[in-house]
Amino acid sequence: MSDPEIVQGLLNRDNDITKQFLYSQCRPLFLSIFKVVFSHPVDYDEMIAEFYGYLMDQDGHKLRNFQYKSSVYQWIKVVATRFFISYRDKYREGILEENFRAEEKDTSNCESLTSVDIRIDIDNLLSLMNNPRFVETIRELVLNDRDPKELAKKLGVTTDNLYNIKKRALQALAQIAAKYYSYGR
């Protein structure tokens, strides 16, 4: 099958071409990308469905912009690598923020057992971090919901730089959490 046939088949949502190309022909490529990008096993079919959705977003905008300057396989390799790295980072950041913002019941200054447990776990994880700036950024921006402009001023950085620090801090915390929980504390 030629590159134009593959691209057109994907754009036409041809099940045979999609299965043949993404689920069979590119399988070794995707598995090697998963091994490098993700620190845990991922469901192949689920990841490829996410990637196919990304390719087909906005009426196949990504695929329609493929210019045939390389093989479609090489192009898919680059696009997929970037997509899965971005997917991983968004997933990590989303999970951490969701956990940090766990609802606490505010009835007469009593916290539920789960909120206390969450707070203890977060404090334990933060105590394992080497970078005090990362710890302060997570505590202030995520846990205390502090105004980013205020914190940026306090730390002597721009607001944009603060968001970069926050992203790196959450990534570092995710790695620590993965190790911490995989070793059973």
Side-chain angles (χ1 to χ4, degrees):
M1 199 170 5
S2 70
D3 287 355
E5 289 172 323
I6 292 170
V7 171
Q8 198 55 51
L10 292 171
L11 286 170
N12 292 341
R13 300 179 189 273
D14 182 305
N15 284 337
D16 292 334
I17 291 174
T18 301
K19 283 182 182 178
Q20 171 65 31
F21 185 67
L22 293 179
Y23 290 86
S24 183
Q25 189 176 341
C26 291
R27 187 177 184 88
L29 168 68
F30 289 135
L31 290 174
S32 68
I33 292 171
F34 296 163
K35 199 178 291 185
V36 171
V37 172
F38 297 101
S39 60
H40 54 81
V42 294
D43 182 87
Y44 184 85
D45 292 342
E46 183 180 319
M47 289 291 104
I48 299 308
E50 290 283 338
F51 180 62
Y52 183 62
Y54 170 74
L55 290 177
M56 298 306 294
D57 195 33
Q58 298 176 9
D59 194 33
H61 179 74
K62 285 276 185 237
L63 282 167
R64 292 182 194 286
N65 284 334
F66 175 58
Q67 298 177 359
Y68 302 96
K69 291 181 180 178
S70 65
S71 72
V72 71
Y73 184 82
Q74 288 290 19
W75 180 81
I76 286 287
K77 180 180 179 178
V78 172
V79 173
T81 302
R82 290 178 181 159
F83 171 78
F84 289 119
I85 288 171
S86 174
Y87 182 90
R88 174 203 64 200
D89 293 346
K90 286 178 186 172
Y91 175 77
R92 278 185 187 164
E93 189 167 321
I95 291 296
L96 282 172
E97 289 209 29
E98 201 173 286
N99 288 341
F100 290 147
R101 294 185 187 273
E103 289 185 31
E104 295 182 13
K105 295 182 179 175
D106 191 25
T107 55
S108 68
N109 293 329
C110 292
E111 293 182 319
S112 69
L113 180 59
T114 56
S115 294
V116 171
D117 290 342
I118 289 169
R119 181 65 63 182
I120 290 169
D121 280 351
I122 291 170
D123 287 340
N124 286 339
L125 292 174
L126 290 175
S127 72
L128 296 172
M129 294 185 78
N130 306 359
N131 189 326
R133 182 178 263 189
F134 283 4
V135 173
E136 182 175 12
T137 301
I138 290 171
R139 280 194 195 282
E140 295 298 321
L141 284 182
V142 179
L143 299 175
N144 300 334
D145 204 23
R146 184 168 179 187
D147 179 42
K149 290 178 185 174
E150 283 180 25
L151 184 59
K153 186 176 180 181
K154 178 184 175 195
L155 294 176
V157 298
T158 65
T159 306
D160 288 341
N161 194 13
L162 179 65
Y163 286 117
N164 288 331
I165 293 169
K166 175 187 172 189
K167 180 180 179 182
R168 291 194 316 269
L170 290 173
Q171 288 171 342
L173 185 61
Q175 290 174 343
I176 289 169
K179 289 178 186 173
Y180 182 77
Y181 289 107
S182 70
Y183 293 123
R185 300 181 192 192

